[in-house]
């Protein structure tokens, strides 16, 4: 853009000769020229058509150049127009006054054409440069504002995004929890089903033969007792038997046989009795397939579980065995899913045995390894079962995660880390009870199971049914 294209110079002078000279010179130089012959008309013109620069005579009739200048500077629309005063050569007071009023320059009369043109050109250029800079400034400001707006928008977007990430993470964590629960329940169902089937199968297979062994031992005992009596009678009545009989008596060591046979039979009877008891415990333990709440004897459940675990309590290395102390209170029959509660006893007792075994194996034991089982009624509504061991206890860190699925401190292959989390679900969610752990590291652990004696009728169906095991969202 050529600056001169839109450059208008307003000449204000009351002397027509001056106007003409300046006007010609400026027009020749390519400026557009406007003229006014006094201050008032100059001010009026300026309102409609803002010039690029004003050449202003000082001495005029009406309002003089200074006053015109003051008014131009007082008006926001015109204050930036550069003003060059035209003054007499000798009058230096006027020059100073003009500059102090805001004029950019002065030219002296009589005019030197070249000087006028040079000064006008310099100030027009300055003015145009200023305008260009101002425009650029405005532009920059706008750009800056846009940038700030964009940054703010971006910030909001980022915040929004972060919020969404947080929400989504929470959702995912929640889903993960549900899935883990589902997995636990599936494993639990699987474990229970397999264990239950196995135990029930074994119990069934062994039950009949052991029953007739046990029943017949009893009769055999009688018969043998009678036979031995008869032999003894023979020995008394016929103190001198034939040679052959005497030989046979020696061969079979009859006197030892008579002494040993009853002992042998009674130990066989004890063995059969023990097998029969274990079978009973198995059946009792595998009651899980009964899919309804049952009114059961909690102590019977604990005893059956202990019976099954018997092999783990006796004859440890270092000749140490685990002592069981029962402090059973008088409990009413409790309404619960017997099979599942037995599973809880099994999990907690197994953990206690694991903890004690570890100490025994490492020969760190100075006191008698003991599991104390304490039961009582609480507030007439609950039964509380405490299973307390004097093992090494549980660190604070581990206590926080005890009931988490898959949390285990046992070596791979030994523990799955599901025992307590399954027990927790059975006690808390399926029986509306509570399962807590109290442990001071180094001083053993105590697990407290609290379950209501009676359940609300409506919860009965879902409580033990297999569908509740399979459905993770129950
Ligand atoms: N009586 C206890 N004494 C010391 N630590 C215990 C005791 N009971 C539980 N724990 C700790 O809690 C952890 C979790 O127990 P949980 O029964 O859930 O899993 P696990 O016994 O490791 O494996 P499994 O699934 O075979 O039962 C154990 O690994 C053990 O560190
Ligand atoms: Mg366990």
């Amino acid at each position: 853009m050529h600056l001169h294209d839109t450059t208008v110079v307003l000449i204000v002078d009351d002397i027509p000769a001056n106007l003409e000279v300046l006007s010609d010179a400026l027009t020749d130089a390519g400026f557009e020229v406007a003229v006014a012959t006094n201050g008032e008309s100059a001010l009026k013109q300026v309102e409609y058509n803002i010039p690029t620069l004003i050449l202003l005579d000082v001495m005029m009739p009406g309002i003089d150049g200074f006053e015109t200048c003051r008014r131009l500077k007082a008006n926001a629309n015109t204050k930036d127009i550069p003003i060059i005063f035209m003054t007499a050569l000798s009058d230096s007071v006027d020059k100073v006054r003009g500059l102090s009023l805001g004029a950019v320059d002065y030219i002296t009369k009589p005019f030197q054409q070249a000087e006028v043109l040079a000064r006008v050109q310099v100030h027009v250029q300055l003015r145009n440069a200023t305008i260009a800079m101002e425009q650029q400034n405005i532009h920059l400001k706008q750009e800056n504002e846009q940038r700030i707006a964009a940054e703010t928008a971006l910030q909001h977007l980022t915040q929004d995004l972060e919020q969404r990430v947080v929400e989504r993470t929470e959702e995912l964590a929640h889903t993960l929890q549900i899935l883990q629960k589902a997995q636990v329940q599936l494993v639990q169902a699987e474990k229970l089903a397999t264990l239950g089937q196995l135990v029930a199968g074994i119990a069934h297979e062994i039950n009949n033969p052991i029953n007739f062994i046990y029943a017949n031992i009893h009769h055999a005992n009688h018969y043998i007792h009678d036979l031995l009596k008869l032999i003894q009678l023979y020995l008394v009545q016929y103190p001198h038997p034939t040679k052959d009989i005497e030989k046979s008596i020696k061969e079979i060591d009859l006197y030892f046989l008579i002494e040993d046979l009853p002992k042998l039979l009674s130990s066989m009877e004890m063995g059969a009795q023990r097998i029969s008891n274990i079978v009973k415990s198995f059946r009792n333990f595998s009651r899980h397939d009964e899919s309804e709440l049952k009114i059961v004897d909690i102590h019977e459940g604990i005893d059956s579980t202990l019976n099954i675990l018997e092999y783990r309590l006796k004859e440890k290395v270092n000749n140490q065995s685990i002592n069981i102390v029962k402090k059973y209170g008088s409990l009413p029959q409790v309404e619960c899913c017997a099979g599942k509660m037995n599973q809880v006893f099994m999990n907690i007792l197994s953990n206690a045995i694991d903890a004690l075994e570890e100490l025994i194996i490492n020969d760190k034991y100075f006191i008698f390894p003991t599991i104390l089982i304490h039961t009582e009624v609480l507030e007439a509504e609950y039964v509380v079962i405490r299973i307390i061991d004097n093992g090494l206890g549980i660190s604070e860190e581990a206590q926080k995660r005890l009931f988490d699925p898959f949390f285990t401190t046992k070596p791979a292959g030994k523990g799955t880390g599901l025992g307590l989390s399954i027990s927790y679900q059975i006690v808390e969610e399926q029986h509306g009870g509570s399962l807590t752990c109290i442990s001071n590291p180094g001083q053993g652990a105590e697990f407290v199971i609290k379950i209501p004696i009676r359940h609300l009728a409506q919860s009965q169906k879902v409580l033990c049914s297999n569908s509740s095991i399979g459905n993770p969202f129950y």
Side-chain angles (χ1 to χ4, degrees):
M1 188 178 88
H2 287 289
L3 292 174
H4 288 177
D5 287 355
T6 52
T7 305
V8 180
V9 179
L10 172 65
I11 309 166
V12 189
D13 202 324
D14 60 321
I15 300 160
N18 283 349
L19 282 176
E20 204 180 314
V21 173
L22 285 172
S23 179
D24 286 351
L26 289 170
T27 308
D28 288 349
F31 294 103
E32 221 171 89
V33 174
V35 294
T37 50
N38 57 51
E40 282 96 342
S41 74
L43 287 170
K44 260 200 198 111
Q45 256 195 57
V46 162
E47 266 179 43
Y48 303 108
N49 198 358
I50 292 184
T52 313
L53 182 136
I54 300 173
L55 286 171
L56 187 56
D57 187 23
V58 175
M59 296 295 291
M60 288 184 296
I63 58 170
D64 65 1
F66 295 133
E67 180 55 21
T68 311
C69 177
R70 203 189 55 73
R71 290 193 196 174
L72 283 167
K73 292 290 166 199
N75 184 336
N77 289 331
T78 55
K79 70 178 177 28
D80 293 328
I81 305 169
I83 295 169
I84 299 176
F85 273 113
M86 298 184 287
T87 175
L89 181 63
S90 55
D91 203 342
S92 68
V93 178
D94 280 0
K95 292 173 198 162
V96 174
R97 189 162 169 216
L99 291 172
S100 74
L101 278 170
V104 291
D105 208 350
Y106 57 85
I107 48 180
T108 49
K109 299 173 185 180
F111 303 120
Q112 299 292 316
Q113 199 164 316
E115 188 198 343
V116 173
L117 272 177
R119 284 183 193 272
V120 167
Q121 250 152 3
V122 165
H123 289 293
V124 163
Q125 271 169 14
L126 260 175
R127 175 68 189 143
N128 281 336
T130 309
I131 288 169
M133 256 173 58
E134 272 169 4
Q135 269 168 0
Q136 220 171 34
N137 217 8
I138 288 169
H139 189 66
L140 277 174
K141 252 191 201 160
Q142 276 173 350
E143 267 185 6
N144 205 23
E145 272 163 18
Q146 278 169 359
R147 196 173 51 80
I148 288 171
E151 269 172 12
T152 314
L154 197 71
Q155 233 171 26
H156 284 161
L157 244 140
T158 312
Q159 273 172 2
D160 200 41
L161 204 70
E162 273 169 6
Q163 177 65 25
R164 274 164 58 188
V165 168
V166 168
E167 281 168 12
R168 194 88 188 96
T169 311
E170 271 169 16
E171 262 173 43
L172 284 174
H174 184 63
T175 312
L176 184 69
Q177 251 181 3
I178 292 177
L179 281 176
Q180 273 188 341
K181 244 187 183 177
Q183 198 175 7
V184 170
Q185 280 173 336
L186 283 174
V187 173
Q188 172 198 4
E190 179 74 12
K191 253 190 172 180
L192 277 178
T194 319
L195 187 68
Q197 275 166 12
L198 191 73
V199 166
I202 292 173
H204 179 79
E205 287 304 321
I206 296 179
N207 198 38
N208 275 345
I210 203 61
N211 270 351
F212 63 67
I213 291 175
Y214 186 58
N216 288 341
I217 281 181
H218 190 66
H219 295 303
N221 219 353
H222 265 291
Y223 293 156
I224 287 166
H225 189 252
D226 289 348
L227 279 175
L228 289 178
K229 243 167 87 181
L230 183 66
I231 289 173
Q232 248 148 9
L233 194 61
Y234 267 109
L235 288 173
V236 173
Q237 303 282 329
Y238 299 96
H240 305 294
T242 63
K243 281 253 177 314
D244 285 350
I245 291 177
E246 210 162 325
K247 193 180 164 211
S248 183
I249 286 176
K250 267 197 185 136
E251 266 171 18
I252 63 170
D253 200 352
L254 181 65
Y255 297 102
F256 176 75
L257 190 151
I258 291 173
E259 198 189 307
D260 201 41
L261 192 54
K263 286 188 202 160
L264 204 133
L265 274 170
S266 99
S267 85
M268 277 166 75
E269 195 175 5
M270 256 168 60
Q273 170 80 59
R274 168 124 182 77
I275 295 174
S276 174
N277 277 345
I278 285 185
V279 168
K280 228 184 272 165
S281 298
F282 276 3
R283 293 170 115 193
N284 195 343
F285 184 82
S286 65
R287 276 183 179 180
H288 79 284
D289 51 330
E290 296 168 359
S291 59
E292 277 166 38
L293 282 173
K294 283 272 149 69
I295 308 255
V296 295
D297 180 348
I298 288 286
H299 293 149
E300 205 173 82
I302 300 174
D303 289 341
S304 297
T305 311
L306 284 171
N307 232 337
I308 292 173
L309 288 171
E310 175 92 6
Y311 78 102
R312 295 197 60 197
L313 300 171
K314 299 263 173 279
E315 291 167 24
K316 295 286 151 195
V317 273
N318 306 330
N319 286 333
Q320 189 67 276
S321 63
I322 293 170
N323 190 30
I324 300 285
V325 178
K326 295 180 195 172
K327 287 200 174 157
Y328 287 174
S330 109
L331 295 190
Q333 300 276 88
V334 174
E335 194 177 14
C336 66
C337 303
K340 289 195 175 179
M341 281 313 297
N342 289 345
Q343 183 77 28
V344 172
F345 301 143
M346 174 69 100
N347 285 339
I348 295 175
L349 285 168
S350 303
N351 282 348
I353 295 171
D354 285 346
L356 293 171
E357 242 177 23
E358 200 182 328
L359 287 187
I360 294 169
I361 286 167
N362 296 330
D363 203 11
K364 283 186 187 161
Y365 236 89
F366 307 113
I367 37 171
F368 209 36
T370 303
I371 298 173
L372 170 64
I373 306 168
H374 180 277
T375 64
E376 64 185 329
V377 172
L378 190 76
E379 297 157 3
E381 274 181 56
Y382 299 96
V383 290
V384 176
I385 303 125
R386 295 168 200 275
I387 298 175
I388 306 160
D389 67 72
N390 56 356
L392 260 188
I394 305 165
S395 73
E396 265 177 46
E397 217 28 60
Q399 278 185 50
K400 282 184 208 145
R401 303 177 52 202
L402 217 51
F403 300 107
D404 288 356
F406 307 109
F407 171 75
T408 180
T409 57
K410 292 167 193 170
K414 182 138 196 273
T416 59
L418 283 176
L420 286 179
S421 97
I422 287 171
S423 303
Y424 188 87
Q425 273 180 29
I426 293 174
V427 174
E428 300 248 345
E429 288 172 28
Q430 294 173 9
H431 285 84
S434 71
L435 173 59
T436 47
C437 165
I438 307 164
S439 175
N440 285 324
Q443 295 175 15
E446 170 173 350
F447 284 83
V448 185
I449 307 160
K450 179 177 153 192
I451 52 167
I453 295 171
R454 293 283 171 269
H455 282 273
L456 292 176
Q458 78 219 38
S459 62
Q460 285 196 8
K461 281 215 175 78
V462 279
L463 210 66
C464 304
S465 74
N466 285 331
S467 66
S468 79
I469 296 171
N471 180 1
F473 301 102
Y474 155 63

